[in-house]
Coordinates of all heavy atoms in Angstrom, one line a residue:
M25 N 15.9 -20.1 8.2 CA 15.9 -21.6 8.5 C 15.3 -21.8 9.9 O 15.5 -21.0 10.7 CB 17.3 -22.1 8.4 CG 17.4 -23.5 8.9 SD 18.2 -24.8 7.9 CE 18.6 -24.1 6.4
S26 N 14.6 -22.9 10.0 CA 14.0 -23.2 11.3 C 15.0 -23.5 12.4 O 16.2 -23.8 12.1 CB 13.1 -24.4 11.1 OG 12.1 -24.2 10.2
T27 N 14.5 -23.5 13.6 CA 15.4 -24.0 14.7 C 15.3 -25.5 14.7 O 14.5 -26.1 14.0 CB 14.9 -23.5 16.0 OG1 13.6 -24.0 16.3 CG2 14.9 -22.0 16.1
V28 N 16.1 -26.1 15.5 CA 16.2 -27.6 15.6 C 14.8 -28.2 15.9 O 14.4 -29.2 15.3 CB 17.3 -28.1 16.6 CG1 17.2 -29.6 16.8 CG2 18.6 -27.6 16.2
S29 N 14.1 -27.6 16.8 CA 12.9 -28.2 17.3 C 11.7 -28.1 16.3 O 10.8 -28.9 16.3 CB 12.4 -27.5 18.6 OG 12.2 -26.1 18.4
D30 N 11.8 -27.2 15.3 CA 10.7 -27.1 14.3 C 11.3 -27.3 12.9 O 10.7 -26.7 12.0 CB 10.0 -25.8 14.5 CG 10.8 -24.5 14.3 OD1 12.0 -24.6 14.1 OD2 10.2 -23.5 14.2
F31 N 12.3 -28.1 12.7 CA 12.9 -28.4 11.4 C 11.9 -29.3 10.7 O 11.4 -30.3 11.2 CB 14.2 -29.1 11.6 CG 15.0 -29.3 10.4 CD1 15.6 -28.3 9.8 CD2 15.1 -30.6 9.8 CE1 16.3 -28.5 8.6 CE2 15.8 -30.8 8.7 CZ 16.4 -29.7 8.1
T32 N 11.5 -28.9 9.4 CA 10.5 -29.5 8.7 C 10.9 -30.0 7.3 O 12.0 -29.7 6.9 CB 9.3 -28.6 8.5 OG1 9.7 -27.5 7.6 CG2 8.8 -28.0 9.8
I33 N 10.0 -30.7 6.6 CA 10.3 -31.2 5.3 C 10.6 -30.0 4.4 O 11.4 -30.1 3.4 CB 9.2 -32.1 4.8 CG1 9.6 -32.8 3.5 CG2 7.9 -31.3 4.5 CD1 10.6 -33.9 3.7
D34 N 9.9 -28.8 4.6 CA 10.2 -27.7 3.8 C 11.6 -27.2 4.0 O 12.3 -26.7 3.0 CB 9.2 -26.5 4.1 CG 7.8 -26.9 3.6 OD1 7.7 -27.5 2.6 OD2 6.8 -26.4 4.2
D35 N 12.1 -27.3 5.2 CA 13.5 -26.9 5.4 C 14.5 -27.9 4.7 O 15.5 -27.5 4.1 CB 13.9 -27.0 6.9 CG 13.1 -25.9 7.7 OD1 13.0 -24.8 7.2 OD2 12.5 -26.3 8.7
V36 N 14.1 -29.2 4.7 CA 14.9 -30.2 3.9 C 14.9 -29.8 2.5 O 16.0 -29.8 1.8 CB 14.4 -31.6 4.1 CG1 15.1 -32.6 3.2 CG2 14.5 -32.0 5.6
R37 N 13.8 -29.5 1.9 CA 13.7 -29.1 0.5 C 14.6 -27.9 0.2 O 15.3 -27.9 -0.8 CB 12.3 -28.8 0.1 CG 11.3 -29.9 -0.1 CD 10.0 -29.5 -0.6 NE 9.1 -30.5 -0.6 CZ 8.2 -30.8 0.3 NH1 8.0 -30.0 1.3 NH2 7.4 -31.8 0.2
R38 N 14.5 -26.9 1.0 CA 15.3 -25.7 0.8 C 16.8 -25.9 0.8 O 17.5 -25.5 -0.1 CB 14.9 -24.6 1.9 CG 15.5 -23.3 1.8 CD 15.0 -22.2 2.7 NE 14.4 -22.7 4.0 CZ 13.1 -22.9 4.3 NH1 12.2 -22.7 3.3 NH2 12.8 -23.4 5.4
V39 N 17.2 -26.7 1.8 CA 18.6 -27.0 1.9 C 19.1 -27.9 0.7 O 20.1 -27.7 0.1 CB 19.0 -27.7 3.2 CG1 20.4 -28.2 3.2 CG2 18.8 -26.7 4.3
L40 N 18.3 -28.9 0.3 CA 18.6 -29.7 -0.8 C 18.7 -28.9 -2.1 O 19.7 -29.1 -2.9 CB 17.6 -30.9 -1.0 CG 17.6 -32.0 0.0 CD1 16.5 -32.9 -0.2 CD2 19.0 -32.7 0.1
R41 N 17.8 -28.0 -2.3 CA 17.9 -27.1 -3.5 C 19.1 -26.2 -3.5 O 19.7 -26.0 -4.5 CB 16.6 -26.3 -3.6 CG 15.4 -27.1 -4.1 CD 14.1 -26.3 -4.2 NE 13.1 -27.1 -4.7 CZ 11.9 -27.3 -4.2 NH1 11.6 -26.6 -3.0 NH2 11.0 -28.0 -4.7
D42 N 19.4 -25.7 -2.3 CA 20.6 -24.8 -2.2 C 21.9 -25.6 -2.4 O 22.8 -25.1 -3.1 CB 20.7 -24.2 -0.8 CG 19.6 -23.1 -0.6 OD1 19.0 -22.7 -1.5 OD2 19.5 -22.7 0.6
V43 N 22.0 -26.8 -1.9 CA 23.2 -27.6 -2.1 C 23.3 -28.1 -3.5 O 24.4 -28.0 -4.0 CB 23.1 -28.8 -1.1 CG1 24.2 -29.9 -1.5 CG2 23.3 -28.4 0.3
A44 N 22.2 -28.5 -4.1 CA 22.3 -29.0 -5.5 C 22.3 -28.0 -6.6 O 22.6 -28.2 -7.7 CB 21.2 -30.0 -5.7
G45 N 21.8 -26.8 -6.2 CA 21.7 -25.8 -7.2 C 20.5 -26.1 -8.1 O 19.6 -26.8 -7.7
A46 N 20.5 -25.5 -9.3 CA 19.4 -25.8 -10.2 C 19.4 -27.3 -10.5 O 20.4 -27.8 -11.0 CB 19.5 -25.0 -11.5
S47 N 18.3 -27.9 -10.3 CA 18.2 -29.4 -10.5 C 16.9 -29.8 -11.1 O 15.9 -29.1 -11.0 CB 18.4 -30.1 -9.1 OG 18.2 -31.5 -9.3
S48 N 16.9 -30.8 -11.9 CA 15.7 -31.3 -12.5 C 14.9 -32.2 -11.6 O 13.9 -32.7 -11.9 CB 16.0 -32.1 -13.8 OG 16.8 -33.2 -13.5
V49 N 15.4 -32.4 -10.4 CA 14.8 -33.3 -9.4 C 13.5 -32.6 -8.8 O 13.6 -31.4 -8.4 CB 15.7 -33.7 -8.2 CG1 15.0 -34.5 -7.2 CG2 16.9 -34.4 -8.8
D50 N 12.4 -33.3 -8.8 CA 11.2 -32.7 -8.3 C 11.1 -33.0 -6.8 O 11.0 -34.2 -6.4 CB 10.0 -33.4 -9.0 CG 8.7 -32.8 -8.5 OD1 8.6 -31.8 -7.8 OD2 7.6 -33.5 -8.8
L51 N 11.2 -32.0 -6.0 CA 11.2 -32.1 -4.5 C 9.8 -31.7 -4.0 O 9.7 -31.7 -2.7 CB 12.3 -31.2 -3.9 CG 13.7 -31.6 -4.2 CD1 14.7 -30.6 -3.6 CD2 14.0 -33.0 -3.8
D52 N 8.9 -31.5 -4.8 CA 7.5 -31.2 -4.3 C 6.8 -32.5 -4.0 O 7.2 -33.5 -4.4 CB 6.8 -30.4 -5.4 CG 7.4 -29.0 -5.7 OD1 7.9 -28.4 -4.7 OD2 7.4 -28.6 -6.8
G53 N 5.7 -32.3 -3.3 CA 4.9 -33.5 -2.9 C 5.5 -34.2 -1.7 O 6.4 -33.6 -1.0
D54 N 5.1 -35.4 -1.4 CA 5.5 -36.1 -0.2 C 6.8 -36.8 -0.5 O 6.7 -38.0 -1.0 CB 4.4 -37.0 0.3 CG 4.8 -37.7 1.6 OD1 5.8 -37.3 2.2 OD2 4.1 -38.6 2.0
I55 N 7.9 -36.2 -0.2 CA 9.2 -36.9 -0.4 C 9.8 -37.5 0.9 O 10.9 -38.0 0.9 CB 10.2 -35.9 -1.0 CG1 10.5 -34.7 -0.1 CG2 9.8 -35.4 -2.4 CD1 11.7 -33.9 -0.4
S56 N 9.1 -37.4 2.0 CA 9.6 -37.7 3.3 C 10.2 -39.2 3.3 O 11.2 -39.4 4.0 CB 8.6 -37.5 4.4 OG 7.5 -38.3 4.2
Q57 N 9.5 -40.1 2.7 CA 10.0 -41.5 2.7 C 10.7 -41.9 1.4 O 11.0 -43.1 1.3 CB 8.8 -42.4 3.0 CG 8.1 -42.2 4.3 CD 9.0 -42.4 5.5 OE1 9.9 -43.2 5.5 NE2 8.8 -41.5 6.5
T58 N 11.0 -41.0 0.6 CA 11.7 -41.3 -0.7 C 13.2 -41.2 -0.4 O 13.7 -40.3 0.3 CB 11.4 -40.3 -1.8 OG1 10.0 -40.2 -2.0 CG2 12.1 -40.6 -3.1
S59 N 13.9 -42.2 -0.8 CA 15.4 -42.3 -0.5 C 16.1 -41.1 -1.2 O 15.6 -40.6 -2.3 CB 16.0 -43.6 -1.0 OG 16.1 -43.6 -2.4
F60 N 17.2 -40.6 -0.6 CA 17.9 -39.6 -1.2 C 18.5 -40.0 -2.6 O 18.5 -39.3 -3.5 CB 19.1 -39.1 -0.3 CG 18.6 -38.3 0.8 CD1 18.6 -38.8 2.1 CD2 18.1 -37.0 0.6 CE1 18.2 -38.0 3.2 CE2 17.7 -36.2 1.7 CZ 17.7 -36.7 3.0
A61 N 18.8 -41.3 -2.7 CA 19.3 -41.8 -4.0 C 18.2 -41.7 -5.1 O 18.5 -41.3 -6.2 CB 19.7 -43.3 -3.8
D62 N 17.0 -42.0 -4.7 CA 15.9 -41.9 -5.7 C 15.6 -40.5 -6.0 O 15.0 -40.2 -7.1 CB 14.6 -42.6 -5.1 CG 14.7 -44.1 -5.2 OD1 15.6 -44.6 -5.9 OD2 13.9 -44.8 -4.5
L63 N 15.9 -39.5 -5.1 CA 15.7 -38.1 -5.3 C 16.9 -37.6 -6.2 O 16.8 -36.4 -6.6 CB 15.6 -37.3 -4.0 CG 14.4 -37.6 -3.2 CD1 14.5 -36.9 -1.8 CD2 13.1 -37.1 -4.0
G64 N 17.9 -38.4 -6.4 CA 19.0 -37.9 -7.2 C 20.2 -37.3 -6.4 O 21.1 -36.7 -6.9
Y65 N 20.2 -37.6 -5.1 CA 21.2 -37.0 -4.2 C 22.2 -38.2 -3.8 O 21.7 -39.1 -3.1 CB 20.6 -36.3 -3.0 CG 19.9 -35.1 -3.4 CD1 18.6 -35.1 -3.8 CD2 20.6 -33.8 -3.5 CE1 18.0 -33.9 -4.2 CE2 20.0 -32.7 -3.9 CZ 18.7 -32.7 -4.3 OH 18.0 -31.6 -4.7
D66 N 23.4 -38.0 -4.1 CA 24.4 -39.1 -3.7 C 24.9 -38.8 -2.3 O 24.5 -37.8 -1.6 CB 25.5 -39.2 -4.7 CG 26.3 -37.9 -4.8 OD1 26.2 -37.0 -4.0 OD2 27.1 -37.8 -5.8
S67 N 25.8 -39.6 -1.8 CA 26.3 -39.5 -0.5 C 27.1 -38.2 -0.3 O 27.0 -37.6 0.8 CB 27.2 -40.7 -0.1 OG 28.3 -40.8 -1.0
L68 N 27.8 -37.7 -1.3 CA 28.5 -36.4 -1.2 C 27.5 -35.3 -1.0 O 27.8 -34.4 -0.2 CB 29.4 -36.2 -2.4 CG 30.2 -35.0 -2.5 CD1 31.2 -34.9 -1.3 CD2 31.0 -34.8 -3.7
A69 N 26.4 -35.3 -1.7 CA 25.4 -34.2 -1.6 C 24.8 -34.3 -0.2 O 24.5 -33.2 0.4 CB 24.3 -34.4 -2.6
L70 N 24.6 -35.5 0.3 CA 24.0 -35.6 1.7 C 25.0 -35.1 2.7 O 24.6 -34.5 3.7 CB 23.6 -37.1 1.9 CG 22.9 -37.3 3.3 CD1 21.7 -36.4 3.4 CD2 22.5 -38.8 3.4
L71 N 26.3 -35.4 2.6 CA 27.3 -34.9 3.5 C 27.4 -33.4 3.5 O 27.5 -32.8 4.5 CB 28.7 -35.5 3.2 CG 28.8 -37.0 3.6 CD1 30.1 -37.5 3.1 CD2 28.7 -37.2 5.1
E72 N 27.3 -32.8 2.3 CA 27.3 -31.4 2.1 C 26.0 -30.8 2.8 O 26.1 -29.8 3.5 CB 27.3 -31.0 0.7 CG 27.5 -29.5 0.5 CD 27.8 -29.1 -1.0 OE1 28.2 -30.0 -1.8 OE2 27.5 -27.9 -1.3
T73 N 24.9 -31.5 2.6 CA 23.6 -31.0 3.2 C 23.7 -31.0 4.8 O 23.4 -30.1 5.4 CB 22.5 -31.9 2.8 OG1 22.3 -31.8 1.4 CG2 21.2 -31.6 3.5
T74 N 24.3 -32.1 5.3 CA 24.4 -32.2 6.8 C 25.4 -31.2 7.3 O 25.2 -30.6 8.4 CB 24.6 -33.6 7.3 OG1 25.8 -34.1 6.6 CG2 23.5 -34.5 7.0
A75 N 26.5 -31.0 6.6 CA 27.5 -30.0 7.0 C 26.8 -28.6 7.0 O 27.0 -27.8 8.0 CB 28.7 -30.0 6.1
R76 N 26.0 -28.3 6.1 CA 25.3 -27.0 6.0 C 24.4 -26.9 7.2 O 24.3 -25.8 7.8 CB 24.6 -26.9 4.7 CG 23.5 -25.9 4.6 CD 24.1 -24.6 3.9 NE 23.0 -23.6 3.9 CZ 22.3 -23.4 2.9 NH1 22.4 -24.0 1.7 NH2 21.4 -22.4 2.9
L77 N 23.6 -27.9 7.5 CA 22.7 -27.9 8.6 C 23.4 -27.7 9.9 O 23.0 -26.9 10.8 CB 21.9 -29.2 8.7 CG 20.9 -29.4 7.5 CD1 20.2 -30.8 7.6 CD2 19.8 -28.3 7.6
Q78 N 24.5 -28.4 10.1 CA 25.3 -28.2 11.3 C 25.8 -26.8 11.5 O 25.7 -26.2 12.6 CB 26.5 -29.2 11.3 CG 26.1 -30.6 11.5 CD 27.3 -31.6 11.5 OE1 27.7 -31.9 12.6 NE2 27.8 -32.0 10.4
R79 N 26.2 -26.2 10.4 CA 26.7 -24.8 10.5 C 25.5 -23.8 10.7 O 25.5 -23.0 11.6 CB 27.4 -24.4 9.1 CG 27.9 -23.0 9.2 CD 28.4 -22.6 7.8 NE 27.3 -22.3 7.0 CZ 27.1 -22.7 5.8 NH1 28.0 -23.4 5.2 NH2 26.0 -22.4 5.1
D80 N 24.4 -24.0 9.9 CA 23.3 -23.0 10.0 C 22.5 -23.1 11.3 O 22.0 -22.1 11.8 CB 22.3 -23.2 8.8 CG 22.9 -22.8 7.5 OD1 24.1 -22.3 7.5 OD2 22.3 -23.1 6.5
L81 N 22.4 -24.4 11.8 CA 21.6 -24.6 13.0 C 22.5 -24.7 14.3 O 21.9 -24.9 15.4 CB 20.8 -25.8 12.9 CG 19.7 -25.8 11.8 CD1 19.1 -27.2 11.6 CD2 18.7 -24.7 12.0
S82 N 23.8 -24.6 14.1 CA 24.7 -24.7 15.3 C 24.5 -26.0 16.1 O 24.4 -26.0 17.3 CB 24.6 -23.5 16.2 OG 24.9 -22.3 15.5
I83 N 24.5 -27.1 15.3 CA 24.2 -28.4 15.9 C 25.4 -29.3 15.6 O 26.2 -29.0 14.7 CB 22.9 -29.0 15.5 CG1 22.9 -29.2 13.9 CG2 21.7 -28.3 16.0 CD1 21.7 -30.0 13.4
K84 N 25.5 -30.4 16.3 CA 26.5 -31.4 16.0 C 25.7 -32.7 15.7 O 24.9 -33.2 16.5 CB 27.4 -31.6 17.2 CG 28.4 -32.7 17.0 CD 29.4 -32.5 15.9 CE 30.4 -33.6 15.8 NZ 30.7 -33.9 14.4
L85 N 26.0 -33.3 14.5 CA 25.4 -34.5 14.1 C 26.5 -35.6 14.1 O 27.5 -35.4 13.5 CB 24.8 -34.4 12.7 CG 23.7 -33.4 12.6 CD1 23.3 -33.2 11.1 CD2 22.5 -33.7 13.4
P86 N 26.2 -36.7 14.8 CA 27.2 -37.8 14.8 C 27.5 -38.4 13.4 O 26.5 -38.6 12.6 CB 26.6 -38.9 15.7 CG 25.5 -38.2 16.4 CD 25.0 -37.0 15.6
D87 N 28.7 -38.6 13.1 CA 29.1 -39.0 11.7 C 28.4 -40.3 11.4 O 27.9 -40.5 10.2 CB 30.6 -39.2 11.6 CG 31.3 -37.9 11.6 OD1 30.7 -36.8 11.3 OD2 32.5 -37.9 11.9
D88 N 28.3 -41.3 12.3 CA 27.7 -42.6 12.0 C 26.2 -42.4 11.7 O 25.7 -43.1 10.9 CB 28.0 -43.6 13.1 CG 27.5 -43.2 14.5 OD1 27.4 -41.9 14.7 OD2 27.2 -44.0 15.3
A89 N 25.6 -41.5 12.4 CA 24.2 -41.3 12.2 C 23.9 -40.6 10.9 O 23.0 -41.0 10.2 CB 23.6 -40.4 13.3
V90 N 24.8 -39.7 10.5 CA 24.7 -39.0 9.2 C 24.8 -40.1 8.1 O 24.0 -40.0 7.1 CB 25.7 -37.9 9.0 CG1 25.8 -37.4 7.6 CG2 25.5 -36.8 10.0
L91 N 25.7 -41.0 8.2 CA 25.9 -42.0 7.2 C 24.7 -43.0 7.1 O 24.5 -43.6 6.0 CB 27.2 -42.7 7.4 CG 28.5 -41.9 7.3 CD1 29.7 -42.7 7.7 CD2 28.7 -41.4 5.9
A92 N 24.0 -43.1 8.1 CA 22.8 -44.0 8.2 C 21.5 -43.4 7.6 O 20.6 -44.1 7.3 CB 22.6 -44.5 9.6
V93 N 21.5 -42.1 7.4 CA 20.3 -41.4 7.0 C 20.1 -41.7 5.5 O 20.9 -41.6 4.7 CB 20.5 -39.8 7.1 CG1 19.4 -39.1 6.4 CG2 20.5 -39.5 8.6
R94 N 18.8 -42.2 5.2 CA 18.5 -42.6 3.9 C 17.3 -41.8 3.3 O 17.2 -41.7 2.0 CB 18.1 -44.1 3.8 CG 19.2 -45.0 4.2 CD 20.3 -45.1 3.2 NE 21.3 -46.0 3.6 CZ 22.6 -45.6 3.9 NH1 22.9 -44.3 3.9 NH2 23.5 -46.4 4.3
T95 N 16.5 -41.1 4.1 CA 15.3 -40.4 3.6 C 15.2 -39.0 4.3 O 15.8 -38.8 5.4 CB 14.0 -41.2 3.9 OG1 13.8 -41.2 5.4 CG2 14.0 -42.6 3.4
P96 N 14.5 -38.1 3.7 CA 14.3 -36.8 4.4 C 13.6 -37.0 5.8 O 14.0 -36.2 6.7 CB 13.3 -36.1 3.4 CG 13.7 -36.6 2.1 CD 14.0 -38.1 2.3
A97 N 12.8 -37.9 5.9 CA 12.1 -38.1 7.3 C 13.2 -38.5 8.3 O 13.2 -38.0 9.4 CB 11.1 -39.2 7.2
Q98 N 14.1 -39.4 7.9 CA 15.2 -39.7 8.8 C 16.1 -38.5 9.1 O 16.6 -38.4 10.3 CB 16.0 -40.9 8.2 CG 15.3 -42.2 8.2 CD 16.1 -43.3 7.5 OE1 17.0 -43.0 6.7 NE2 15.7 -44.5 7.7
L99 N 16.3 -37.7 8.1 CA 17.1 -36.5 8.4 C 16.4 -35.5 9.3 O 17.1 -35.0 10.2 CB 17.4 -35.8 7.0 CG 18.3 -34.5 7.1 CD1 19.6 -34.8 7.8 CD2 18.4 -33.9 5.7
I100 N 15.1 -35.4 9.2 CA 14.4 -34.5 10.1 C 14.5 -35.1 11.5 O 14.7 -34.4 12.5 CB 12.9 -34.4 9.7 CG1 12.8 -33.6 8.4 CG2 12.0 -33.8 10.8 CD1 11.5 -33.7 7.7
D101 N 14.3 -36.4 11.7 CA 14.4 -37.0 13.0 C 15.8 -36.8 13.6 O 16.0 -36.5 14.8 CB 14.2 -38.5 12.9 CG 12.7 -38.9 12.7 OD1 11.8 -38.0 12.8 OD2 12.4 -40.0 12.3
L102 N 16.9 -36.9 12.8 CA 18.2 -36.8 13.2 C 18.4 -35.3 13.7 O 19.0 -35.1 14.8 CB 19.2 -37.1 12.1 CG 20.7 -37.0 12.5 CD1 21.1 -37.9 13.7 CD2 21.5 -37.3 11.3
V103 N 18.0 -34.4 12.9 CA 18.2 -33.0 13.3 C 17.4 -32.6 14.5 O 17.9 -31.9 15.4 CB 17.8 -32.0 12.1 CG1 17.7 -30.6 12.5 CG2 18.8 -32.2 10.9
S104 N 16.2 -33.2 14.7 CA 15.4 -32.8 15.8 C 15.9 -33.4 17.1 O 15.6 -32.9 18.2 CB 13.9 -33.3 15.6 OG 13.9 -34.7 15.6
T105 N 16.8 -34.4 17.0 CA 17.4 -34.9 18.2 C 18.9 -34.5 18.4 O 19.6 -34.9 19.3 CB 17.4 -36.5 18.2 OG1 18.1 -36.9 17.1 CG2 15.9 -37.0 18.2
A106 N 19.3 -33.6 17.6 CA 20.7 -33.1 17.6 C 21.0 -32.3 18.8 O 20.1 -31.6 19.3 CB 21.0 -32.3 16.3
R107 N 22.2 -32.4 19.2 CA 22.6 -31.5 20.3 C 23.3 -30.2 19.8 O 23.9 -30.2 18.7 CB 23.6 -32.2 21.3 CG 24.9 -32.6 20.7 CD 25.8 -33.3 21.7 NE 27.0 -33.8 21.1 CZ 28.1 -33.1 21.0 NH1 28.1 -31.9 21.4 NH2 29.2 -33.6 20.5
I108 N 23.1 -29.2 20.5 CA 23.6 -27.9 20.1 C 25.2 -28.0 20.3 O 25.7 -28.5 21.3 CB 23.1 -26.7 21.0 CG1 21.5 -26.7 20.9 CG2 23.7 -25.4 20.7 CD1 21.0 -26.4 19.6
A109 N 25.8 -27.5 19.2 CA 27.3 -27.5 19.2 C 27.8 -26.5 20.2 O 27.3 -25.5 20.4 CB 27.8 -27.2 17.8
S110 N 28.9 -26.9 20.9 CA 29.5 -26.0 21.9 C 30.8 -25.4 21.4 O 31.4 -25.8 20.4 CB 29.7 -26.7 23.2 OG 30.3 -27.9 23.0

């Protein structure tokens, strides 16, 4: 997995696939501005995704910011500005 500074859409795809397991959702192409809901990911899947990112990247994401994330692009922005957990 990438570091916080070089977290990309490919990293988002990888984590979403890992969290959801085998899924019929097509994550190829430009999904950066597609809502997680339209991609088939509910709020629970997004919370699991962000928890995984926090653990894997040793970062802390504010709960209110996590709840506001609607697209993969917003998630990338959030991760790229995250502070390292202490």
Side-chain angles (χ1 to χ4, degrees):
M25 171 132 352
S26 297
T27 62
V28 174
S29 62
D30 63 351
F31 188 73
T32 68
I33 193 70
D34 289 328
D35 296 313
V36 172
R37 284 187 186 100
R38 185 173 25 263
V39 173
L40 289 175
R41 285 182 176 126
D42 287 349
V43 166
S47 174
S48 61
V49 176
D50 181 12
L51 297 176
D52 296 324
D54 185 9
I55 63 164
S56 63
Q57 298 300 324
T58 305
S59 73
F60 285 110
D62 287 344
L63 291 171
Y65 291 87
D66 61 13
S67 58
L68 182 59
L70 185 55
L71 288 173
E72 188 174 338
T73 298
T74 55
R76 164 99 182 261
L77 291 172
Q78 289 182 96
R79 184 190 74 228
D80 290 355
L81 297 174
S82 299
I83 58 175
K84 177 64 179 143
L85 300 172
D87 291 338
D88 59 335
V90 168
L91 295 173
V93 168
R94 299 287 180 250
T95 66
Q98 290 175 342
L99 180 59
I100 291 168
D101 289 344
L102 180 62
V103 168
S104 69
T105 61
R107 64 181 174 84
I108 303 299
S110 49

